[in-house]
Amino acid sequence: MYHDCRCISVNSYFILNMLQAFEPPLDMSQDTDICEHEHLEDVCADHIPCEVRDFCSCQSASTSGRTCFLEADQASCGIGSNLICNLQKERTVSEEVQVQNFCGSANGNLSLNSDYSGQSEKAGCDDVKVVSNDMEVNLVYDSDRTVSLSAHDWLDPSLQLKVPLVDVDKVRCIIRNIVRDWAPEGQRERDQCYKPILEELDRLFPDRCKDRPPSCLVPGAGLGRLALDISCIDFISQGNEFSYYMMICSSFILNHTQTAGEWTIYPWIHSNCNSLSDNDQLRPVSFPDIHPASAGITEGFSMCGGDFVEVYSDPSQDGAWDAVVTCFFLDTAHNIVEYIEIISRILKEGGVWINLGPLLYHFADMYGPQDEMSIELSLEDVKRVAFHYGFLLEKEKTIETTYTANLRSMMQNRYSAAFWTMTKRQVKS
């Protein structure tokens, strides 16, 4: 019991530090979630895709604590030296949200906001006080840097926020995605999923020049690792992500981490099924495995928050990209045909589309008050649609991979993911 509490305390310490790193600090207690698929709360998290493969179209809290939705009237996410990305609009009900933009600088020093000056409290202090929702929590670190429970027990009901179970599940999925994208333990999955993409980009753009690097868009970028890795091989890379949870965490890792291995979490503490031993469930994971700002990013790297369809349907995006990379993304669509049409439209003639992932359609067999639309095509039909929109198949194979898997679990869900390279047909003049 003590070890469980200690692990949960360490996770909570990271999360509270992450929220307090922003200016003003994010108050997630004001978050109100609207989700038509509440029955998923009772499904074991090991049996469903994680939050980056999000089933729910949910409301998010703004940095000011108000409850609202993503909005921006500017429909361009700039590719340039300013690295400033405008949030695009998604309208639902009648509420709106304002979320801080992701920014960066050409010298590799990433920042959330150009005027940000706050510093988050680091794990180097001996007694850390975190204030959240009018609640004070004291975390005391022993000499070996492990957390000791203070006088206030973390399991005291008086200290617990009333958080919807669907949001708790999302946070747990974010923690597992940290392992996938930013921990040494996730290297195997990154090698399975990201390495073939990076090798294909390197093969297809052999003569790229640092003075005029090609541009690459990564929709569904999650916590930003693939987009950053693409930037590090001399591409102007932009990640696009809809999930507010993912945006907060990716911004913190990209902008506010000071060294590799700075943070420690216990990602499997809530995975009570299929554990080989208590030690496997209680094992810590340190991250990030690299310091993002020192990774050698190419000038122009950026992250853009907003719905892919809303953001990149803007005419300013037409023919703007040399490459589009989709990794575990296509099946997040309500209408996969619309995704493919937009990908074709935003690519330059001769541009490249690299895809890796399954077709686990997120809105399939979902029944709710609004009956979410879902178009579910076979892989064969997906390729037919791509051909219709001017794509030529250059390369295709199947890649066996997992997704946010616990390497020491007795159960491993594996995907036979489709991997292809397509080029947009050039129009003959």
Side-chain angles (χ1 to χ4, degrees), residues 19-39:
L19 298 181
Q20 293 233 331
F22 299 93
E23 189 65 36
L26 300 179
D27 182 4
M28 297 305 289
S29 68
Q30 301 297 317
D31 188 28
T32 303
D33 220 44
I34 298 176
C35 179
E36 291 95 21
H37 314 303
E38 294 181 357
H39 67 278

Side-chain angles (χ1 to χ4, degrees), residues 237-255:
S237 173
Q238 181 175 101
N240 165 242
E241 178 55 48
F242 174 74
S243 167
Y244 189 43
Y245 292 76
M246 289 286 180
M247 290 165 60
I248 292 171
C249 190
S250 64
S251 177
F252 180 77
I253 294 173
L254 291 170
N255 300 332

Side-chain angles (χ1 to χ4, degrees), residues 333-365:
H334 286 283
N335 182 352
I336 191 171
V337 176
E338 187 176 34
Y339 270 21
I340 296 170
E341 179 185 6
I342 293 172
I343 292 170
S344 175
R345 187 188 309 146
I346 65 179
L347 276 172
K348 299 175 181 178
E349 291 184 13
V352 175
W353 175 23
I354 301 172
N355 175 74
L356 187 148
L359 292 175
L360 181 62
Y361 292 103
H362 290 195
F363 297 96
D365 303 322

Side-chain angles (χ1 to χ4, degrees), residues 3 37 50-51 53 75 91 100 179 182 232 240 258 287 303 353 374 385 397 405:
H3 294 294
H37 314 303
C50 278
E51 198 274 340
R53 304 173 54 70
R91 300 192 179 277
Q100 286 176 291
V179 179
W182 294 103
C232 291
N240 165 242
Q258 304 298 313
F287 71 96
M303 293 287 288
W353 175 23
S374 179
V385 172
K397 66 178 179 178

